[in-house]
């Protein structure tokens, strides 16, 4: 789905920063019905690559891209599902996982990567901070 600039500004109106990386800044946003993670980036090439990849990759363990759009001069937005349990990295640091949960997370992440590789995509930056966890601690591979 293509978001208009006005829709993106509305989503980001009361947003809070939840992450920063080489590719951009990620905000937690809400439209009143659900929460989203919105990544703002000025990297046009990475933005286009992400839109193309997530537009074709659909897997239960790959983060869902709800939409994207032009946010402001030179800045683009990617609107993702929000993963309430944060990253695998934070779950490890906070000791919120049992060994069996860790095994299931690794299996799910491996399945997501196998799906991406079968379609010709290489992640290139897999780390605990790029594996997000939903409310059931199911992994969602992101970039």
């Amino acid at each position: 789905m293509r978001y208009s600039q006005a829709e993106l500004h509305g989503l980001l109106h009361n947003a809070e920063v939840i992450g920063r990386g080489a590719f951009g800044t990620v905000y937690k946003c809400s439209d009143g019905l659900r929460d989203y993670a919105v990544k703002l980036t000025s990297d046009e090439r990475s933005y286009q690559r992400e839109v193309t990849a997530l537009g074709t990759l659909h897997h239960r363990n790959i983060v869902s891209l709800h939409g994207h759009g032009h946010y402001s001069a030179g800045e683009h937005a990617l609107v993702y599902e929000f993963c309430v349990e944060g990253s695998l990295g934070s779950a490890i640091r906070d000791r919120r996982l049992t060994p069996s949960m860790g095994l299931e997370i690794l299996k799910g992440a491996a399945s997501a990567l196998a799906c991406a590789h079968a379609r010709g995509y290489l992640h290139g930056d897999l780390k605990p901070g790029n594996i997000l966890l939903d409310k059931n601690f199911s992994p969602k591979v992101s970039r």
Side-chain angles (χ1 to χ4, degrees), residues 19-138:
R20 294 184 197 280
F23 182 46
T25 302
V26 181
Y27 299 84
K28 179 183 178 187
C29 306
S30 178
D31 63 5
L33 300 174
R34 68 194 303 186
D35 292 332
Y36 300 93
V38 177
K39 184 185 296 182
L40 293 182
T41 182
S42 57
D43 186 335
E44 175 74 28
R45 185 172 170 214
S46 294
Y47 166 76
Q48 289 297 337
R49 202 172 31 225
E50 188 91 348
V51 168
T52 301
L54 290 179
T56 60
L57 291 173
H58 302 285
H59 186 278
R60 70 184 177 280
N61 297 117
I62 295 176
V63 70
S64 296
L65 179 68
H66 290 291
H68 59 92
H70 177 73
Y71 181 68
S72 64
E75 205 163 32
H76 306 284
L78 297 155
V79 181
Y80 302 96
E81 69 179 296
F82 179 72
C83 294
V84 69
E85 291 298 334
S87 72
L88 175 59
S90 66
I92 291 169
R93 272 190 309 278
D94 298 344
R95 300 176 186 256
R96 292 184 283 142
L97 304 174
T98 65
S100 63
M101 290 168 74
L103 180 60
E104 290 305 311
I105 289 167
L106 289 175
K107 284 186 200 175
S111 179
L113 292 173
C115 172
H117 291 175
R119 289 175 178 77
Y121 292 103
L122 179 65
H123 190 285
D125 190 28
L126 188 65
K127 57 190 175 192
N130 287 340
I131 298 174
L132 305 177
L133 303 171
D134 70 11
K135 67 181 179 181
N136 299 313
F137 285 87
S138 294

Side-chain angles (χ1 to χ4, degrees), residues 1-13 29-31 38 68-71 77 79:
M1 168 182 176
R2 190 100 161 109
Y3 282 82
S4 71
Q5 199 170 21
E7 289 172 316
L8 291 169
H9 280 274
L11 265 181
L12 287 157
H13 178 69
C29 306
S30 178
D31 63 5
V38 177
H68 59 92
H70 177 73
Y71 181 68
V79 181

